[in-house]
Amino acid sequence: MQPLVHAVEGFMYPNEVELQWSILIVLYPFITGLVAGAFILASLERVFQVEEVKPTYRLALLTALAFLIVAPLPLQLHLGHPERSLEMFLTPHTSSAMAMFGFVYLWYLMAVLVVEIWLDYRKDIVLLAQSSRGPLRWVYRVMTLGSTNISARSLRLDDKTGYIITVIGIPSAFLLHGYVGFIFGSVKANPWWSTPLMPIVFLFSAIVSGIALVMLMYIATTRIRKQRLDMRCLDTISRYLFYAFLTDFSLEMLDLIHRIYEADESFKSLDFMVHTRLYFSHILLQIVLGTLLPLALLAYTQLFRPGEARRKVIYSLAGVLTLIGIFAMRWNVVIGGQLFSKSFLGYTTYKMEFATREGLLPAIALMILPFAILWGLVKLLPPWHEESVQTLGGGHGGLSR
Amino acid sequence: MSITRRDVITQSAKLLILTPAAAAFLDYLRGETTELEPKYKIAEHYWAMTIDIDKCIGCGNCVRACASENDVPDGYFRTWVERYQIDAWPDEHPRVDSPNGGHDGFPQSKAPGAKSFFVPKLCNHCAHSPCVQVCPVGATFETQDGLVLVDKSYCLGCRYCVQACPYGCRYIDPRKQTVDKCSFCYHRISKGLTTACCETCPTSARTIGDLKNPKDPIHEFLRDNSVQVLKPHMATGAKAYYKSLDQSVR
Amino acid sequence: MKDAAHLLRLAALFAAGIIFFLLVRQIAVPAGFGKYGHFRPGAIDDVRARPISFAGKAQCEMCHPDQLKALLSGKHAHVACEACHGPQAKHALADDPMANKPVLPDTRVLCVRCHEANSAKPKKFPQVASADHSGGEACKSCHVPHRPQMN
């Protein structure tokens, strides 16, 4: 690949001109953020007894799983040698935050998310194993792990175990996404990234994005199923979204104020970058459209209590804007951190290609894929009461839940 | 099916004993097969480089020699030369250029009256290297003789080390999709030769030195001159020592 | 315990997975990894195995003592042979050096690399504006490269 000499303004170290981390590396924290946030929303009900959000519990878990399955893919596509990724498991370098990826991911996927979903769905799985036909029957049978025990006592045991898993799952979710923040925040060479606030900002923006996603998924799936939206649930979710967003915004403003006040050697260069090359993605997309506007919309619903129809529109709009804003935040961190020279004397440009390994096309495909997987998961493990009754009503007869 | 508590304990105990036994057996079967070169004793050396700014003429010999010796791809640099031009004080913004890394020398400056000088740069082989710290698998590492090296057959190409280096000395070799950087010509210095850049520097502005060799001229150099490393506030333990490094150098 | 059987199976599955991982690890971790630090010791050998391109002044000295004598009497005494002549390991270290006979560099292009006047060069370093100095003539027409001074 030819170095982008023509796209350089000022001076950059010769090896700095080409960006190292592409849009795929923007996608990865966005995706794991959605996972962590969706899980936190699910745990609100499970651990903190916020039973208003129960209608979204299973949906949140399945959404988290669908996105978690896709999460390693942008990383694999980005690596120079993906066939060597097993090395992260074999010889992890314990001083590197990135080395914990494999273990944290596997732990969170298997010991937290899959187990929690299994425990919550186990009764349905056993019943579906008995009632379904064809190859699907074998899928369910494998998932039962050979046990058909759905006695009241066993289900109570499942419930207790699930509670413990969720309790462990909350710090695990923090770790899953927090370590990504640490990967950036601990790089002393890069002043745009290096701040102790980075893991916390990442985490709160993850929670915000995850809640927004589940809220949008709930609205969308309820509409598709032609059911009635539980407004009490939606109002509660949006309230948590509002609080999380306020916290996230405060943290980001704290970072900004701190930078402006201290004005260290990097400040002039970074300030110039934000006002020129990052103007659209940072000021317009992330701050105005992606944070201030959804905050204002949500504040409006909190303060003025508009009618149901209006609230639905506002929540949907706020949700979409939030997701755009959080994506922009990831973009600004990852790409922004590579646009300026470490000599503080120049800038380069990010030339995103389209149909190459790290181009826009695979990025779009990777964002669509989780929804395809979620569709499959919803079919396999229906989150909704009525559908599971319909599936079982035929062969098995009566089911009490 | 009824499983008693006793069964669980017995089964777990069996597994706990059998697994390390199996592991030890496999280890025995594979054996250890590495052998380092006996003539060069790693423990007897500790390498560093000295660069004299007063002597650098920006000829680019070092850049060309390194590219030739180490098969460096076009557009990427294991070493490069920067030119600084400072017009006025306070010098908040020196003019810096490095046309093709200094590979073909430098064109004449447009402001001949300015204070100007050349600064050759390379990997500093930091004693507390941030790049080694962040490598997730151990594909870049510090050796006992003071070098930071890359294991190209182990590198994943994740680029974290490139991000972590404050000096911009690492790059991804597009042909191999692994990271590469200056190795202090380890293949030469371990055979008693000097590095390619030091060999071809016509003014001896660059010199490799062995800090563990009491007769090495580097000791006199470091003792008798004011020396500085790049970005000392980063506390990387950089081992490229510059004489007459101006405060404007980034 | 009966009602917890499925949980025990789950635990057993996890245990099996961990054991499988540990065994794979034994097989797949490169030999000797970690012996000298967190890296594969073979990597040091790999770096050292790179072929040499520049033979070094000492090698040239062995066959060209006359050139070296001239060099040492002049201003280019501390300049390495290969600084001007380019990498010559193929020539110097070969069984038949004449098989890779070096090509003499063109002084019109070679000398100006160091001696073309540039305000960033140290003031005391000999430099000229070549167009004014030689009017396009090769430096060799007046200067002897191995002993470049004019007296």
Side-chain angles (χ1 to χ4, degrees):
Chain A
M1 188 192 145
Q2 289 302 313
L4 307 170
V5 178
H6 56 279
V8 172
E9 194 186 310
F11 170 72
M12 294 201 77
Y13 299 140
N15 290 326
E16 266 189 326
V17 175
E18 202 177 291
L19 263 72
Q20 303 298 325
W21 285 347
S22 64
I23 186 174
L24 294 181
I25 307 299
V26 174
L27 261 192
Y28 173 71
F30 186 60
I31 291 175
T32 52
L34 293 174
V35 171
F39 184 83
I40 297 298
L41 181 61
S43 68
L44 271 181
E45 188 268 326
R46 202 64 153 87
V47 175
F48 300 104
Q49 324 295 338
V50 182
E51 49 95 16
E52 291 96 320
V53 304
K54 194 166 170 69
T56 57
Y57 175 70
R58 280 184 165 186
L59 182 63
L61 287 181
L62 292 184
T63 306
L65 182 61
F67 276 87
L68 193 62
I69 290 171
V70 173
L73 295 181
L75 299 178
Q76 290 293 96
L77 271 177
H78 157 77
L79 281 180
H81 285 270
E83 76 280 6
R84 295 179 188 168
S85 18
L86 193 63
E87 289 169 8
M88 284 226 218
F89 287 101
L90 300 177
T91 59
H93 192 193
T94 48
S95 66
S96 169
M98 197 182 278
M100 72 162 81
F101 160 68
F103 296 101
V104 170
Y105 176 80
L106 215 55
W107 163 261
Y108 190 78
L109 175 68
M110 298 309 297
V112 177
L113 208 46
V114 166
V115 170
E116 180 160 338
I117 290 174
W118 184 71
L119 287 170
D120 192 66
Y121 272 95
R122 206 176 64 83
K123 183 174 180 197
D124 294 1
I125 292 171
V126 170
L127 294 168
L128 283 165
Q130 287 158 355
S131 69
S132 47
R133 296 278 168 263
L136 210 53
R137 185 194 173 99
W138 287 100
V139 173
Y140 287 120
R141 285 188 76 173
V142 167
M143 280 164 66
T144 63
L145 291 190
S147 167
T148 53
N149 181 356
I150 46 172
S151 69
R153 190 157 173 271
S154 72
L155 291 179
R156 263 203 312 278
L157 215 57
D158 287 351
D159 197 56
K160 266 210 301 214
T161 315
Y163 178 84
I164 296 171
I165 297 286
T166 313
V167 169
I168 297 173
I170 296 171
S172 303
F174 284 1
L175 194 58
L176 178 76
H177 194 64
Y179 96 92
V180 182
F182 188 80
I183 282 182
F184 291 99
S186 62
V187 178
K188 65 184 171 190
N190 192 321
W192 189 234
W193 291 346
S194 174
T195 163
L197 277 178
M198 193 62 87
I200 307 185
V201 167
F202 258 63
L203 201 47
F204 273 92
S205 52
I207 292 171
V208 167
S209 66
I211 295 177
L213 178 68
V214 176
M215 183 174 79
L216 287 172
M217 293 301 305
Y218 175 61
I219 294 173
T221 52
T222 313
R223 279 256 153 77
I224 292 170
R225 289 164 50 225
K226 297 193 182 52
Q227 300 291 319
R228 206 168 173 281
L229 277 171
D230 181 341
M231 284 316 289
R232 203 173 64 123
C233 174
L234 261 188
D235 290 334
T236 312
I237 293 178
S238 69
R239 209 176 54 226
Y240 280 100
L241 178 62
F242 184 57
Y243 298 154
F245 219 162
L246 277 178
T247 315
D248 180 42
F249 186 60
S250 309
L251 288 166
E252 291 188 12
M253 284 301 107
L254 184 64
D255 180 63
L256 183 68
I257 292 166
H258 210 74
R259 277 180 199 277
I260 296 172
Y261 190 90
E262 282 196 349
D264 69 8
E265 60 170 344
S266 66
F267 178 68
K268 269 214 180 116
S269 179
L270 294 177
D271 189 43
F272 183 78
M273 177 183 72
V274 170
H275 284 102
T276 54
R277 280 165 205 251
L278 280 187
Y279 189 76
F280 178 70
S281 59
H282 197 96
I283 310 283
L284 291 181
L285 272 188
Q286 181 184 335
I287 295 181
V288 175
L289 273 182
T291 310
L292 293 177
L293 189 51
L295 272 177
L297 287 170
L298 290 170
Y300 171 72
T301 59
Q302 295 290 314
L303 293 170
F304 295 105
R305 306 236 170 266
E308 189 177 305
R310 193 172 281 188
R311 286 205 318 276
K312 282 185 206 169
V313 170
I314 291 178
Y315 292 156
S316 307
L317 188 58
V320 170
L321 288 174
T322 303
L323 287 178
I324 292 173
I326 303 298
F327 182 83
M329 182 261 182
R330 307 315 190 212
W331 176 278
N332 293 322
V333 170
V334 176
I335 305 296
Q338 301 173 85
L339 288 182
F340 68 97
S341 168
K342 292 191 181 71
S343 68
F344 310 131
L345 292 172
Y347 308 91
T348 182
T349 42
Y350 174 39
K351 254 204 182 141
M352 182 166 53
E353 287 158 343
F354 187 68
T356 57
R357 188 165 58 108
E358 294 201 69
L360 185 57
L361 190 61
I364 293 174
L366 285 171
M367 276 314 297
I368 295 174
L369 186 58
F371 294 100
I373 294 175
L374 183 59
W375 182 85
L377 284 175
V378 163
K379 284 268 174 286
L380 185 69
L381 298 170
W384 299 292
H385 197 135
E386 319 80 40
E387 270 167 45
S388 54
V389 169
Q390 274 160 25
T391 323
L392 299 162
H396 196 70
L399 156 72
S400 59
R401 202 174 194 273
Chain B
M1 177 186 164
S2 66
I3 310 170
T4 62
R5 213 163 276 179
R6 196 184 186 182
D7 290 334
V8 175
I9 294 172
T10 331
Q11 292 306 324
S12 310
K14 278 193 203 162
L15 283 171
L16 276 169
I17 295 168
L18 281 177
T19 307
F25 181 60
L26 280 167
D27 213 17
Y28 163 73
L29 281 182
R30 280 165 70 230
E32 295 230 327
T33 55
T34 53
E35 192 52 62
L36 293 182
E37 199 197 305
K39 273 183 280 179
Y40 174 82
K41 301 263 179 293
I42 281 190
E44 289 173 8
H45 304 273
Y46 198 69
W47 300 100
M49 182 163 293
T50 58
I51 299 173
D52 190 340
I53 300 292
D54 290 331
K55 288 188 177 162
C56 179
I57 58 172
C59 64
N61 261 11
C62 50
V63 184
R64 290 189 295 272
C66 174
S68 169
E69 178 76 33
N70 294 295
D71 190 27
V72 180
D74 279 338
Y76 299 96
F77 305 89
R78 281 190 172 207
T79 187
W80 67 97
V81 183
E82 298 173 3
R83 172 173 56 178
Y84 281 72
Q85 297 176 80
I86 302 151
D87 300 310
W89 276 260
D91 58 336
E92 299 241 330
H93 209 283
R95 277 181 297 122
V96 188
D97 66 330
S98 185
N100 199 16
H103 185 276
D104 312 302
F106 289 78
Q108 176 56 286
S109 158
K110 292 195 179 67
K115 169 177 176 177
S116 53
F117 51 89
F118 297 104
V119 182
K121 289 196 180 173
L122 74 168
C123 169
N124 293 268
H125 292 271
C126 303
H128 314 292
S129 166
C131 67
V132 170
Q133 189 183 23
V134 299
C135 176
V137 297
T140 193
F141 52 94
E142 289 167 9
T143 63
Q144 207 186 345
D145 47 1
L147 265 71
V148 176
L149 297 177
V150 176
D151 184 350
K152 293 202 191 154
S153 61
Y154 211 62
C155 173
L156 302 176
C158 75
R159 305 179 187 227
Y160 198 8
C161 59
V162 182
Q163 302 285 10
C165 174
Y167 307 109
C169 70
R170 303 176 78 108
Y171 62 90
I172 292 284
D173 186 332
R175 304 162 304 186
K176 299 199 196 86
Q177 290 295 311
T178 58
V179 89
D180 191 32
K181 69 169 190 70
C182 161
S183 58
F184 267 179
C185 279
Y186 196 43
H187 61 293
R188 296 177 60 89
I189 62 178
S190 58
K191 293 193 179 82
L193 298 170
T194 187
T195 68
C197 57
C198 295
E199 175 76 32
T200 56
C201 178
T203 57
S204 306
R206 303 170 76 132
T207 320
I208 189 90
D210 184 354
L211 288 169
K212 271 200 175 162
N213 178 1
K215 296 207 201 80
D216 197 302
I218 192 174
H219 297 288
E220 200 182 304
F221 185 95
L222 293 173
R223 193 187 59 224
D224 296 342
N225 296 303
S226 289
V227 294
Q228 201 183 308
V229 296
L230 295 172
K231 305 201 184 190
H233 57 281
M234 293 257 170
T236 54
K239 290 206 266 72
Y241 299 102
Y242 289 81
K243 169 178 174 278
S244 307
L245 190 71
D246 190 70
Q247 63 114 13
S248 61
V249 176
R250 310 297 186 90
Chain C
M1 222 41 181
K2 182 170 179 277
D3 291 317
H6 59 287
L7 291 175
L8 287 171
R9 286 188 193 191
L10 186 69
L13 211 60
F14 272 85
I18 292 171
I19 289 166
F20 176 71
F21 168 71
L22 289 172
L23 291 174
V24 166
R25 205 173 171 276
Q26 277 303 109
I27 300 169
V29 171
F33 195 103
K35 194 171 165 199
Y36 301 101
H38 195 90
F39 59 96
R40 189 181 62 88
I44 296 188
D45 298 323
D46 292 345
V47 176
R48 292 225 207 116
R50 173 178 283 287
I52 288 178
S53 300
F54 287 85
K57 203 167 176 181
Q59 276 293 339
C60 314
E61 203 180 332
M62 286 173 20
C63 300
H64 302 277
D66 296 333
Q67 275 86 335
L68 192 74
K69 198 154 162 251
L71 203 68
L72 285 174
S73 69
K75 294 278 188 178
H76 280 171
H78 297 291
V79 182
C81 315
E82 289 162 304
C84 300
H85 290 277
Q88 298 298 344
K90 282 205 183 85
H91 163 74
L93 301 171
D95 292 328
D96 177 20
M98 292 312 281
N100 289 299
K101 192 172 169 197
V103 176
L104 270 181
D106 180 0
T107 55
R108 260 183 300 235
V109 176
L110 173 71
C111 309
V112 290
R113 280 197 201 141
C114 291
H115 293 287
E116 185 68 49
N118 191 310
S119 55
K121 291 188 182 171
K123 298 288 174 287
K124 291 210 195 102
F125 185 78
Q127 48 191 297
V128 292
S130 59
D132 301 331
H133 177 81
S134 62
E137 279 219 41
C139 311
K140 224 169 55 168
S141 23
C142 302
H143 298 273
V144 174
H146 289 161
R147 197 180 180 281
Q149 58 266 37
M150 292 297 281
N151 40 4

